[in-house]
Amino acid sequence: MTSTPQLSISISPHLTALAMISDALAGRRRGLPELWRKAIRSRVRPQGHQAVRPLAAPGYSVVPDSLVPRTPTGGDVSVQDQIDTLRDLPRDALIKDLDQAFGDRPLPAHWRSAAERPDRWLHGYAGALADVWDTTAPLWRRARPLLDREIRRVGVASVRGGPELLLGALNHRITYGERGLLIADVESSTYELGDRKIVLVPMLAGKDAVIVSLDNEDAVWIAYPVPGAAQLWHRPAGTAHGELSALMGPVRADLLRAIGQPMTMSMLAGDMQVAPSSITYHCDRLIAAQLISRERRGREVWIARTPRAEELLEMFRR
């Protein structure tokens, strides 16, 4: 080990969403309360459930870089920024990430479907991330005092020269000592940090959740459960999604949220795995309410959200 580690902190909620996806949807249980696991599972669409399965394959903890913020050392990363990045990511970039993640080894079976149909996988995973964040965002807002307290705690440790003690107290799965940084995971290893800065990312996640990135030459980051989060787990927050569902019904609320960009009726039916006749019925009701528009282009019917719908969704995000 070299010099005393230099600490900084990033408040990036995307890591919270990733931890919840792994725990509630992919099956890698890390202590998220069952009430929250059920709430998240119920609000993610089938394509999203299918896309996240590779994240918890037995015996593996490696995931492609596409799933984590590209520049965690350059400032906080919003969930919407990451969703937009995933949806715009070239298909070749995901394949390159998979090759880099697994090196010379054959691509594991659980990632082959993503490599064969990267566009579909990226769309499904981005949708799962959006659905999970829609459920979790109110909890994140309620956690602001805990996050502010953690910012102060990290700052005090950095100024008073106690970063080693802080690193050793982040989580029972993290050990920091003369041998370096030890992470107890599916593939436990000890890591020499050298002179790299350490970026700490507090999460709202199960008590056993830890996410680590060691690939950056200048810094490593460690995401860990923020202390005191247990007080927030009593019940799922009254989410914007739930409030909108109460107003217009769950199918139409899901449908309206799914149309983030113009889509054909067949695309929408496939994404939501709802019969085309049912999609047509609910779209007719949303058209009557002036929440979506419909346009025929050749043999396809395209639908899009109206400005009135955008105003409604924005109101329920607050």
Side-chain angles (χ1 to χ4, degrees), residues 6 8 32 46 49 69 92 130 159 169 207 247 285:
Q6 300 299 307
S8 65
L32 191 66
H49 277 270
D92 291 344
V159 171
K207 61 182 179 62
L247 177 68
R285 304 285 76 76

Side-chain angles (χ1 to χ4, degrees), residues 140-310:
W140 182 261
R141 290 192 290 269
R142 282 164 42 202
R144 188 71 242 189
L146 291 178
L147 297 169
D148 288 341
R149 187 177 69 187
E150 187 65 4
I151 291 172
R152 292 192 294 271
R153 186 171 79 111
V154 173
V156 168
S158 298
V159 171
R160 294 186 177 177
E164 296 92 345
L165 294 176
L166 178 62
L167 288 172
L170 289 178
N171 187 268
H172 69 91
R173 293 174 54 212
I174 300 173
T175 303
Y176 185 81
E178 293 184 358
R179 295 177 55 202
L181 182 71
L182 174 64
I183 307 293
D185 204 342
V186 178
E187 302 162 293
S188 299
S189 297
T190 301
Y191 304 98
E192 176 57 58
L193 304 180
D195 294 323
R196 288 184 292 174
K197 181 173 68 174
I198 299 175
V199 182
L200 301 180
V201 189
M203 301 185 294
L204 298 179
K207 61 182 179 62
D208 299 326
V210 173
I211 305 175
V212 180
S213 175
L214 299 153
D215 296 332
N216 191 294
E217 294 180 357
D218 300 317
V220 301
W221 57 261
I222 304 171
Y224 60 97
V226 64
Q231 64 187 271
L232 300 174
W233 296 128
H234 300 305
R235 60 179 179 80
T239 66
H241 183 284
E243 294 166 2
L244 188 62
S245 295
L247 177 68
M248 62 173 52
V251 175
R252 289 176 205 171
D254 286 345
L255 190 154
L256 195 62
R257 292 187 59 82
I259 310 171
Q261 57 188 357
M263 305 174 70
T264 67
M265 297 286 281
S266 58
M267 290 165 59
L268 185 59
D271 275 2
M272 296 190 64
Q273 296 199 358
V274 175
S277 59
S278 181
I279 289 288
T280 300
Y281 170 78
H282 289 292
C283 282
D284 286 344
R285 304 285 76 76
L286 292 173
I287 289 169
Q290 300 180 8
L291 294 173
I292 65 172
S293 61
R294 180 164 49 196
E295 178 186 358
R296 179 170 288 279
R297 303 178 193 171
R299 304 177 72 177
E300 294 280 5
V301 176
W302 287 76
I303 54 176
R305 289 199 300 238
T306 65
R308 183 176 182 178
E310 299 294 350

